[in-house]
Amino acid sequence: MSIAFPKPDAGIVARREEIIAGLARLLPSECLVTSEDERRAYDTDALTSYRKMPLAVALPRTTQEVSDVMRFCHENGVKVVARGAGTSLAGGAIPQEDAVVIGVAKLADVIEMNFADRYARVQSGITNLAISGAVAHEQFFYAPDPSSQLACTIAGNIAMNSGGAHCLKYGVTTNNLLGVTMVLVDGTIVELGGPHLDAPGYDLLGLITGSEGQLGIVTEATVRILRQAEGARPALIGFDSAETAGACVAAIIGAGIIPVALEYMDRPAIQVCEAFAKAGYPLDVEAMLIVEVEGSDAEIEDQLARIVAIAEDFAPQTLKVAQSEAESAAIWKGRKSAFGATGRIADYICMDGTIPTGQLPHVLKRIDEIVKSYGLGVANVFHAGDGNLHPLVMFDAAKPGDMQKAEDAGSDILKLCVEVGGCLTGEHGVGIEKRDLMTCQYNAQDLAQQLRVRGVFDPGWLLNPAKVFPLEGRDAA
């Protein structure tokens, strides 16, 4: 393994049976996973290159049960790793041998729907898509829509500040989260925010969003729900080069046009997704944009006309506007299936960095050069409108040294993002994947200040301790 984990606490590991007995006094047997075979289902997340067997897995059903387990672990010096659905691509939910995983899978109810005030209150184990499903009968929806929305939980979305294809217009998780119920490391239950657009005092809710399970465990969330648009229509625009497509994205955003979605796919991604989804993608282009606009028929026609006029300045090879709901659904099926479709042809790691949109042409060219220098392939599919890149660096896991090459290429790509004025992550989080790159983005003083903030919530480093911050230098803070 090229990514290091802290050495397990031998004293805690030796007390495993005692710790399990204590947890069994707090939870019924169906809420506690202890056998090796059953724990194996929790030894990794979507970053499957790394695995660690947890001490035990607790699956509480209520906020109070989460509190009881957290208090017990705190009193016994046991580390805790929070887990949603395990869809993290950065290793954010990978456990440790001396840690108890606390999963929120059994916390999956809708508590309240208030359409007049436009909010829903849910338990944090509910899936992203289920929130929209719960409010769809009143023509409402929950805006953030990561590609894993069928499986990922709102707890994980909050932990990583997840985005999605339609977040260009509506914002990411932090822009759609109104309040949380959270359990602190010692079991204290706190309420932050509430069913209103802004809360008095310091923005603690903003601090919690994106904190990757290091400040507490969210058990309930109050989220903003929005009225569905009258209609929406995507268009496909194909170009002869990645640089031209990137320049078109910058021009659309620079003109002050904010589509509901503006997605990018290069030739390898187009070919893989078309073979899987039969979406009608053009196979003779080097890069393609999916641009979706929404509103009334008149608004849609006006926005599409302006976007087409801008695109024509870049000599597109293909320009196709969806003419039916079936065509629209096919276009998005292809995009949403990109990660799974790529997995059919190669092993890959999915990177996640963010850059200024004006840097897209340069960065796309450099990504291709970087990956080729390692003798590997890359498929680019990402949220172009807000500069959130997702290069899929492809390799052969059966070939010795190939995974290391892929990780090194990914590191170089993330360093490039920082160099051009961007950052290490847009929505996947730091986890273990980017932990040792934090020094590329932050100097020692910046990191020390972040560690001090973290220390207020968890002075004993019991919450997800292997993640986010480099292992070296933690004591100095």
Side-chain angles (χ1 to χ4, degrees), residues 11-326:
I12 294 295
V13 174
R15 293 172 53 213
R16 180 172 181 268
E17 294 304 320
E18 173 192 335
I19 292 165
I20 290 174
L23 293 171
R25 290 192 289 271
L26 303 174
L27 298 171
S29 59
E30 65 267 22
C31 295
L32 191 59
V33 177
T34 60
S35 73
E36 183 173 343
D37 286 346
E38 291 177 316
R39 282 183 291 141
R40 201 172 299 283
Y42 298 87
D43 68 358
T44 189
D45 55 20
L47 187 66
T48 55
S49 301
Y50 296 88
R51 298 176 182 273
K52 295 286 182 179
M53 186 72 78
L55 196 73
V57 179
L59 301 171
R61 300 161 300 179
T62 66
T63 295
Q64 186 57 54
E65 287 184 347
V66 174
S67 173
D68 293 341
V69 173
M70 288 281 273
R71 181 175 294 108
F72 172 82
C73 289
H74 182 256
E75 290 173 350
N76 286 274
V78 179
K79 300 177 181 69
V80 168
V81 175
R83 184 183 180 96
T87 59
S88 170
L89 290 160
I94 295 176
Q96 297 174 226
E97 297 93 333
D98 58 351
V100 169
V101 168
I102 298 182
V104 296
K106 293 182 181 292
L107 295 163
D109 290 338
V110 175
I111 301 169
E112 179 186 3
M113 293 178 284
N114 187 315
F115 298 103
D117 293 329
R118 298 187 303 166
Y119 72 84
R121 187 164 164 246
V122 299
Q123 289 186 305
S124 65
I126 193 171
T127 64
N128 174 286
L129 193 59
I131 299 176
S132 288
V135 299
H137 65 286
E138 292 288 341
Q139 288 74 55
F140 277 77
F141 75 108
Y142 176 64
D145 60 338
S147 294
S148 59
Q149 66 180 149
L150 182 65
C152 65
T153 64
I154 193 66
N157 291 179
I158 293 169
M160 303 303 179
N161 194 20
S162 301
H166 291 87
C167 289
L168 175 60
K169 179 177 180 179
Y170 293 113
V172 296
T173 298
T174 192
N175 306 114
N176 293 275
L177 182 68
L178 301 175
V180 299
T181 300
M182 188 172 80
V183 180
L184 301 180
V185 68
D186 64 355
T188 301
I189 300 170
V190 297
E191 301 280 348
L192 301 175
H196 35 69
L197 288 177
D198 198 11
Y202 291 114
D203 184 17
L204 295 177
L205 190 61
L207 180 65
I208 297 305
T209 309
S211 60
E212 304 198 27
Q214 296 206 317
L215 306 184
I217 294 182
V218 173
T219 60
E220 296 177 10
T222 302
V223 299
R224 185 173 65 148
I225 54 175
L226 302 173
R227 175 73 71 172
Q228 295 173 2
E230 294 176 61
R233 199 186 315 171
L236 299 180
I237 311 174
F239 298 92
D240 61 2
S241 73
E243 291 82 7
T244 304
C248 184
V249 169
I252 291 171
I253 300 300
I257 301 171
I258 305 297
V260 67
L262 181 45
E263 298 290 289
Y264 174 99
M265 300 174 74
D266 66 6
R267 181 187 281 271
I270 293 167
Q271 293 176 336
V272 167
C273 292
E274 177 62 16
F276 177 78
K278 304 296 189 292
Y281 290 168
L283 298 176
D284 59 344
V285 300
E286 291 299 322
M288 182 184 77
L289 302 179
I290 300 174
V291 189
E292 183 169 85
V293 298
E294 66 178 15
S296 66
D297 290 342
E299 288 176 306
I300 289 172
E301 292 297 336
D302 176 68
Q303 290 182 74
L304 284 175
R306 294 167 64 197
I307 289 168
V308 167
I310 291 172
E312 286 177 343
D313 289 338
F314 296 90
Q317 291 179 271
T318 298
L319 205 164
K320 175 185 175 183
V321 177
Q323 298 300 318
S324 66
E325 290 188 9

Side-chain angles (χ1 to χ4, degrees), residues 331-366:
I331 287 171
W332 281 113
K333 179 184 178 183
R335 168 60 183 91
K336 291 284 186 178
S337 64
F339 294 174
T342 304
R344 297 169 71 209
I345 66 166
D347 302 297
Y348 70 86
I349 55 173
C350 177
M351 306 312 299
D352 166 54
T354 301
I355 63 169
T357 54
Q359 292 287 341
L360 271 171
H362 166 67
V363 170
L364 290 171
K365 181 179 179 181
R366 285 290 299 127

